[in-house]
Amino acid sequence: MPAPGWGWWVVVVALLLPFAYAFGFLFPRGDDFDEVTRAMFPFDLPGGLYEVAREWLTWSGRYTYHFLAVFLGKAGEIRPLYGLVCTGVAALFGLGLFGLARVVNIRRGPAAFCGLLGVLVVLAGHQSLPNFYLLTDALTMGLLQAMTLVFLWMVCRLWAAPAAEARKARRQTIIVGVLTVGVFEHSALAALAACTVAVLLALADRFARRETEPDVTQSARTRLRHMGILWLWIFGALLFSFLAPGNQVRRAARHIGADVQLRQLAAAFDEWRQVAFWFFDGLWPWAVLLLVLLLRGMRGQCPIVSKGTARSGLLMAILAVAAYLGLSALLTVLHALSDVTISSTGKLPAGLTIISAYACGFALWGLLNALPAVERSLARLPQWALMVALLIPLLALLVSSSNWRNTMTNAANGSMLHIGLQLQERYDTLQAMGDAAQPKDAPPRFGLLGEIYRPGARKRAVDPSLPMAVVQRSIPATVFPVQMDEALPAQAETWPNLWAAWMLGLGGVYSAPPVASAAVAVLEAPADMAAQKPLALGLPQALQDAGIDAAWLVRANGAPSNVQPTAATTTFSDLWLVLHGQDISKIERIAVLRLNKTDWRRLIPVFLQQFAASHILERQMLAGSTGGSSVYQQILVAVAGEQIHFHAEGWKVGEYLAVPVSQAVSAPRGLFVSLNNGPMLRLDLSKL
């Protein structure tokens, strides 16, 4: 099969752009706030080593993760570094597949293309994609999957290494394997399973062959010895991680006794059946098949397959499937004995799906080795036609995935840009408040020095001596895949708000929704007292028929009235859509389609933004969520703006209904409104 031409490279890179673009709009969430406070400075080496020892004794044996979480912890508050770390984790998938391609003698250029394609397959097909856009999840769930693939490459490289390079390859494989074990329990057991399969294959090869190989090639006996030594190292690292005293401390702290474990074990078989076969739910079977065929085709001329190779291939296929089934069952039992069952969160089965894809890939490779007639039949076809027949269905499959479509939509219509601007304003405001509250000669707060100068400070509580800050809850709260929920809950005492406050130098912080009555108050204020005059909007007849008699755009600060003036931040300043009607009570749901203004920072070119918005604004009505619409219209709507949905009950004030549609400083280019899942009706913003 010929090397991919520049056209294929352009297509794959273009399809990767939405995922790469999303890495630029990441802000701290969840455990990120905690990990930031554990690091003294970026790339905190002593802090990382100290964290490994402390966590091994007090919480868990995931030594690789605990080191990286502190060594890279400051990335949580450095936006470019945050995106680079998460990008690096995703890039490891490409490195692993590139390495595997090189092991099977694919040239560097086509191997790099396969690596890039592998990253696209993972991001488009992953069933828990937002894990890659959250730092602490990327360093656990994302890294364990990527490091498992890199370790598989290293094992295959060791298997194929010439005798003169085998020792060096073994040392490198041991290092990668030990690091893989320390990421997470899933990668630890996956590494041990891979080593076990390699030992069994080497053992079978040892019995099947005589010592007749030339000196430049590893003998079967030498290969078995290398694999056996690797297995011992991986098993030792696994014991070091799993027998850490911190694992028992964590179970005790979370009250996981024998009764809880027995109850969870009783349901383990049902859980295993539920999560072990997610691989078959989605694009994975077809993507893995097409990738394997592509890799085999790019090797060039088909090698002659001996009976021994065919037998080894069949054995590898059987062992790969058996290893995955055993691994998934063991992980289900392991989670049943812990505080988190494997089905309690979607990211655990999603990670298991990636490992099953690896097993399926190796099984298919082995089957094709065992059935050389299939490959000889494919080799008779025109090679350029075969490449087209493999790549076009694969790329079409990836483009049709919900991950790619949703990420591309939010990158193109400005949703990511708007949430990024909103959160950047939030954290800049909070950081300024925190910096102003800290004395100039304050001792270090973070990391190892923070624990020395402030003993007991990590036992977090609201500090009444420091400012309490309130920020507006993100609207919308979900922008796939960069934010799936509000990062700061509504109570200052809850996780992770205490750690966020400590990171920012505040006494406490929490979020609250803006208050609709503030917009109504501005609307009803006397003209001479209003800072800005509300803008009356033209109403379509369909809205008047629905009982709406007037609509305005109002700039107002919706900070809750029960919040101290010093605590409320400028993040509550919004542009509100206010509707008035005699029977507002009949409205249960309201949706707003906000057409964003053109901006070069959106992923698509400005002329396409203008084209989509102008065509949408030519229409007085668009199909709603329950109505049908053409594919062309759906694409235009997705590119031109974003829909924001509200339950109307929380936004009613007497005969008014007021909802925030954007930040006060950024007026939309157009607005459509839908009531009770009806059609989207355009509001006249010509006076804006």
Side-chain angles (χ1 to χ4, degrees):
M1 190 180 293
W6 64 268
W8 293 114
W9 282 88
V10 169
V11 171
V12 172
V13 170
L15 295 181
L16 272 171
L17 277 179
F19 299 113
Y21 178 83
F23 285 119
F25 299 93
L26 305 183
F27 294 85
R29 289 176 287 145
D31 285 331
D32 293 348
F33 296 111
D34 184 10
E35 300 302 345
V36 167
T37 66
R38 293 175 185 255
M40 294 178 286
F41 44 80
F43 311 113
D44 183 0
L45 179 60
L49 296 174
Y50 168 72
E51 187 74 5
V52 169
R54 181 178 66 177
E55 294 295 310
W56 189 83
L57 292 171
T58 63
W59 197 248
S60 82
R62 302 168 187 166
Y63 49 85
T64 303
Y65 164 70
H66 291 305
F67 173 79
L68 292 176
V70 173
F71 184 71
L72 301 172
K74 284 300 180 186
E77 62 178 1
I78 304 174
R79 185 174 168 185
L81 186 57
Y82 196 127
L84 284 174
V85 171
C86 294
T87 303
V89 171
L92 283 176
F93 289 99
L95 175 63
L97 195 57
F98 168 82
L100 288 171
R102 293 291 294 154
V103 168
V104 296
N105 300 319
I106 297 177
R107 298 189 306 276
R108 288 186 180 275
F113 177 82
C114 290
L116 206 62
L117 190 59
V119 175
L120 178 59
V121 169
V122 170
L123 296 179
H126 204 284
Q127 290 145 322
S128 189
L129 180 64
N131 291 154
F132 291 94
Y133 294 88
L134 173 61
L135 183 63
T136 44
D137 272 0
L139 293 177
T140 50
M141 304 312 299
L143 190 61
L144 82 86
Q145 299 155 28
M147 285 297 293
T148 300
L149 182 59
V150 172
F151 179 67
L152 289 171
W153 160 41
M154 299 301 291
V155 173
C156 294
R157 179 170 170 265
L158 173 59
W159 183 281
E165 301 177 10
R167 286 183 177 273
K168 178 182 178 182
R170 188 184 72 195
R171 286 194 299 269
Q172 294 171 345
T173 307
I174 288 172
I175 292 172
V176 172
V178 170
L179 292 175
T180 302
V181 169
V183 176
F184 206 77
E185 290 80 4
H186 290 218
S187 57
L189 290 173
L192 185 66
C195 285
T196 303
V197 170
V199 169
L200 292 175
L201 288 173
L203 189 62
D205 190 43
R206 171 71 181 86
F207 284 119
R209 296 191 184 188
R210 296 180 178 180
E211 301 296 337
T212 57
E213 294 89 343
D215 293 339
V216 295
T217 306
Q218 287 188 72
S219 68
R221 179 185 299 172
T222 304
R223 183 181 290 120
L224 178 59
R225 183 172 67 249
H226 287 315
M227 293 301 170
I229 293 172
L230 174 64
W231 189 93
L232 290 174
W233 272 96
I234 298 303
F235 184 68
L238 185 144
L239 290 179
F240 177 79
S241 176
F242 279 38
L243 298 180
N247 292 327
Q248 300 299 327
V249 174
R250 185 177 73 251
R251 290 193 188 96
R254 294 185 173 179
H255 308 290
I256 306 300
D259 56 334
V260 176
Q261 291 177 332
L262 289 174
R263 185 169 62 251
Q264 293 178 167
L265 281 173
F269 181 69
D270 291 334
E271 287 201 325
W272 176 78
R273 289 192 306 171
Q274 177 183 344
V275 305
F277 305 104
W278 277 28
F279 172 79
F280 298 101
D281 182 19
L283 58 81
W284 280 109
W286 304 109
V288 171
L289 173 63
L290 293 171
L291 266 179
V292 168
L293 292 175
L294 190 67
L295 283 169
R296 294 188 74 92
M298 286 187 178
R299 292 182 304 167
Q301 187 174 2
C302 297
I304 298 175
V305 179
S306 64
K307 290 184 178 180
T309 303
R311 185 170 54 249
S312 297
L314 183 59
L315 180 60
M316 182 174 74
I318 294 172
L319 289 177
V321 174
Y324 169 71
L325 294 176
L327 172 65
S328 59
L330 190 56
L331 284 172
T332 304
V333 172
L334 184 67
H335 278 283
L337 295 173
S338 72
D339 54 308
V340 179
T341 60
I342 198 167
S343 62
S344 60
T345 173
K347 62 185 179 182
L348 297 176
L352 202 58
T353 300
I354 299 294
I355 297 176
S356 69
Y358 301 157
C360 183
F362 276 90
L364 283 173
W365 192 275
L367 285 175
L368 290 173
N369 279 346
L371 301 170
V374 175
E375 197 163 9
R376 285 197 296 268
S377 299
L378 293 175
R380 296 190 186 102
L381 301 174
Q383 294 303 291
W384 64 268
L386 182 59
M387 174 173 283
V388 170
L390 293 175
L391 279 176
I392 288 184
L394 178 57
L395 295 177
L397 198 65
L398 301 179
V399 170
S400 67
S401 68
S402 60
N403 283 355
W404 192 89
R405 287 186 288 106
N406 292 334
T407 304
M408 181 63 196
T409 296
N410 290 331
N413 65 20
S415 296
M416 290 185 193
L417 177 61
H418 277 269
I419 196 69
L421 295 173
Q422 183 180 349
L423 293 179
Q424 188 67 60
E425 179 193 14
R426 168 190 290 187
Y427 290 112
D428 286 347
T429 302
L430 294 176
Q431 192 64 65
M433 292 178 64
D435 291 343
Q438 297 295 320
K440 293 183 179 180
D441 56 348
R445 301 201 315 271
F446 302 141
L448 185 55
L449 287 177
E451 296 196 15
I452 294 173
Y453 283 94
R454 301 172 186 251
R458 293 197 63 81
K459 298 178 180 179
R460 297 302 310 133
V462 173
D463 188 346
S465 66
L466 293 172
M468 172 70 73
V470 186
V471 295
Q472 178 175 301
R473 189 167 301 164
S474 298
I475 298 175
T478 300
V479 177
F480 185 90
V482 297
Q483 176 166 300
M484 300 308 293
D485 202 358
E486 171 57 54
L488 301 175
Q491 292 80 32
E493 299 83 4
T494 57
W495 175 91
N497 288 357
L498 291 174
W499 296 111
W502 183 241
M503 181 190 89
L504 296 163
L506 300 168
V509 63
Y510 64 96
S511 68
V515 178
S517 58
V520 175
V522 171
L523 180 64
E524 294 180 336
D528 56 344
M529 296 180 59
Q532 284 188 321
K533 185 178 179 181
L535 176 68
L537 304 177
L539 285 177
Q541 185 61 44
L543 274 182
Q544 297 179 32
D545 295 341
I548 304 300
D549 53 44
W552 301 266
L553 279 182
V554 178
R555 285 184 170 84
N557 188 306
S561 57
N562 59 347
V563 173
Q564 297 180 2
T566 56
T569 62
T570 56
T571 59
F572 285 96
S573 297
D574 290 311
L575 185 65
W576 294 74
L577 171 63
V578 183
L579 304 178
H580 180 271
Q582 299 298 321
D583 202 1
I584 287 290
S585 61
K586 291 183 178 179
I587 300 176
E588 298 179 357
R589 289 171 297 278
I590 178 172
V592 175
L593 172 62
R594 181 182 69 197
L595 301 186
N596 296 318
K597 289 187 174 180
T598 56
D599 195 311
W600 65 268
R601 292 171 294 181
R602 288 160 62 179
L603 183 58
I604 61 173
V606 171
F607 76 90
L608 287 179
Q609 299 175 34
Q610 293 173 338
F611 175 82
S614 61
H615 277 65
I616 291 296
L617 288 173
E618 291 175 357
R619 304 168 184 259
Q620 294 295 324
M621 182 176 66
L622 303 172
S625 57
T626 59
S629 60
S630 66
V631 175
Y632 178 67
Q633 178 180 304
Q634 292 175 14
I635 294 175
L636 289 179
V637 170
V639 169
E642 57 182 314
Q643 292 191 33
I644 311 173
H645 297 267
F646 302 89
H647 289 287
E649 192 58 39
W651 306 96
K652 296 176 182 177
V653 182
E655 295 181 348
Y656 293 96
L657 175 62
V659 293
V661 294
S662 69
Q663 293 175 287
V665 295
S666 59
R669 182 173 180 177
L671 284 177
F672 286 74
V673 64
S674 167
L675 303 179
N676 295 331
N677 297 330
M680 285 280 181
L681 305 171
R682 184 168 67 85
L683 299 173
D684 183 7
L685 271 62
S686 58
K687 297 180 181 179
L688 187 61

